[in-house]
Amino acid sequence: MPGTPEPTRRLFFALWPDAAVRQSLATVSKQHLHRVKRVPPANLHLTLAFPGSVTQPVQQCLEAGAGRMVAPPFDLLIDHAGYWPRPRITWIGPTRIPAGLWSLVTALRQVLEACGLVPESRPFQPHITLARKTNPGTGAVEFEPIHWSIGNFCLVESVTDPAGAKYFPLRFWKLEG
Ligand code: 2AM
């Protein structure tokens, strides 16, 4: 007889902007994107790895793995915009991906695999989604580059309610080295 399904939480690892960077990202979004479904400023982030819906033991495994990682801080320059037709999103991101970001993402992908999750087959494309359900022209965003010093990363819970997704950072880890 089937038992009660184990409860799960929808989780992802992300770079979570501080107040000043969040403000800059939100300003670009507000100044350039009109009559579209903008991501609320409080939700702006850069996804590093996406475990998706996981049980509590898997969450514990992910947190333990993240805690064992050693990765140095790095700087990001958010300097260009793009549009992806398939999910129909307009995003901004770094033209140059610093070595520190590659190593952070590689290490997190290894943590996910070690916790039994399916390996990510898609290449990592760092981006901050500014708006969804957009059209090609919406991607033509020119803006003053945003400097973002990355000193930590976090595990975030995504909760969907009728008003849309809400993201709650659960735990931060400092980058050192
Ligand atoms: P997006 O910014 O491109 O929409 C919470 O849903 C975060 O996880 C969002 O940043 C979203 O990316 C990302 N995400 C959602 N589904 C995903 C998937 N299947 N693979 C990778 N990232 C995903």
Side-chain angles (χ1 to χ4, degrees), residues 36-59:
V36 294
K37 196 172 154 45
R38 285 199 301 262
V39 171
N43 280 6
L44 294 167
H45 67 276
L46 190 155
T47 300
L48 298 167
F50 185 78
S53 293
V54 301
T55 60
Q56 203 197 1
V58 175
Q59 179 179 346

Side-chain angles (χ1 to χ4, degrees), residues 136-154:
T138 332
V141 178
E142 279 194 23
F143 61 96
E144 200 60 43
I146 298 166
H147 292 264
W148 186 3
S149 290
I150 312 292
N152 61 26
F153 67 97
C154 65

Side-chain angles (χ1 to χ4, degrees), residues 10 12 45 47 50 89 120 122 127 129 132 158 167:
R10 187 176 155 91
F12 60 97
H45 67 276
T47 300
F50 185 78
I89 65 171
E120 175 61 77
R122 293 183 299 187
H127 65 282
T129 300
R132 303 181 196 282
S158 166
Y167 301 142

Side-chain angles (χ1 to χ4, degrees), residues 33-38 133:
L33 303 178
H34 306 285
R35 293 181 295 280
V36 294
K37 196 172 154 45
R38 285 199 301 262
K133 299 187 182 161

Side-chain angles (χ1 to χ4, degrees), residues 87-102:
R88 290 187 62 205
I89 65 171
T90 296
W91 53 270
I92 54 177
T95 306
R96 190 185 148 269
I97 306 181
L101 180 53
W102 280 125

Side-chain angles (χ1 to χ4, degrees), residues 2-171:
T4 315
E6 274 194 79
T8 59
R9 298 168 96 176
R10 187 176 155 91
L11 303 179
F12 60 97
F13 287 102
L15 299 180
W16 199 251
D18 59 31
V21 171
R22 186 174 298 285
Q23 177 69 54
S24 301
L25 298 169
T27 299
V28 170
S29 179
K30 195 166 175 208
Q31 286 181 342
H32 296 275
L33 303 178
H34 306 285
R35 293 181 295 280
V36 294
K37 196 172 154 45
R38 285 199 301 262
V39 171
N43 280 6
L44 294 167
H45 67 276
L46 190 155
T47 300
L48 298 167
F50 185 78
S53 293
V54 301
T55 60
Q56 203 197 1
V58 175
Q59 179 179 346
Q60 283 168 351
C61 178
L62 293 168
E63 292 191 24
R68 281 192 295 269
M69 282 171 34
V70 179
F74 56 90
D75 288 335
L76 266 189
L77 188 66
I78 306 298
D79 60 354
H80 85 284
Y83 171 75
W84 287 331
R86 205 31 191 274
R88 290 187 62 205
I89 65 171
T90 296
W91 53 270
I92 54 177
T95 306
R96 190 185 148 269
I97 306 181
L101 180 53
W102 280 125
S103 46
L104 180 57
V105 168
T106 304
L108 281 171
R109 286 184 168 194
Q110 285 165 357
V111 168
L112 265 61
E113 271 196 72
C115 294
L117 298 171
V118 180
E120 175 61 77
S121 56
R122 293 183 299 187
F124 176 59
Q125 294 186 291
H127 65 282
I128 298 151
T129 300
L130 292 187
R132 303 181 196 282
K133 299 187 182 161
T134 54
N135 297 308
T138 332
V141 178
E142 279 194 23
F143 61 96
E144 200 60 43
I146 298 166
H147 292 264
W148 186 3
S149 290
I150 312 292
N152 61 26
F153 67 97
C154 65
L155 182 65
V156 186
E157 179 171 14
S158 166
V159 178
T160 311
D161 73 19
K166 287 206 174 71
Y167 301 142
F168 300 96
L170 300 177
R171 195 165 165 185

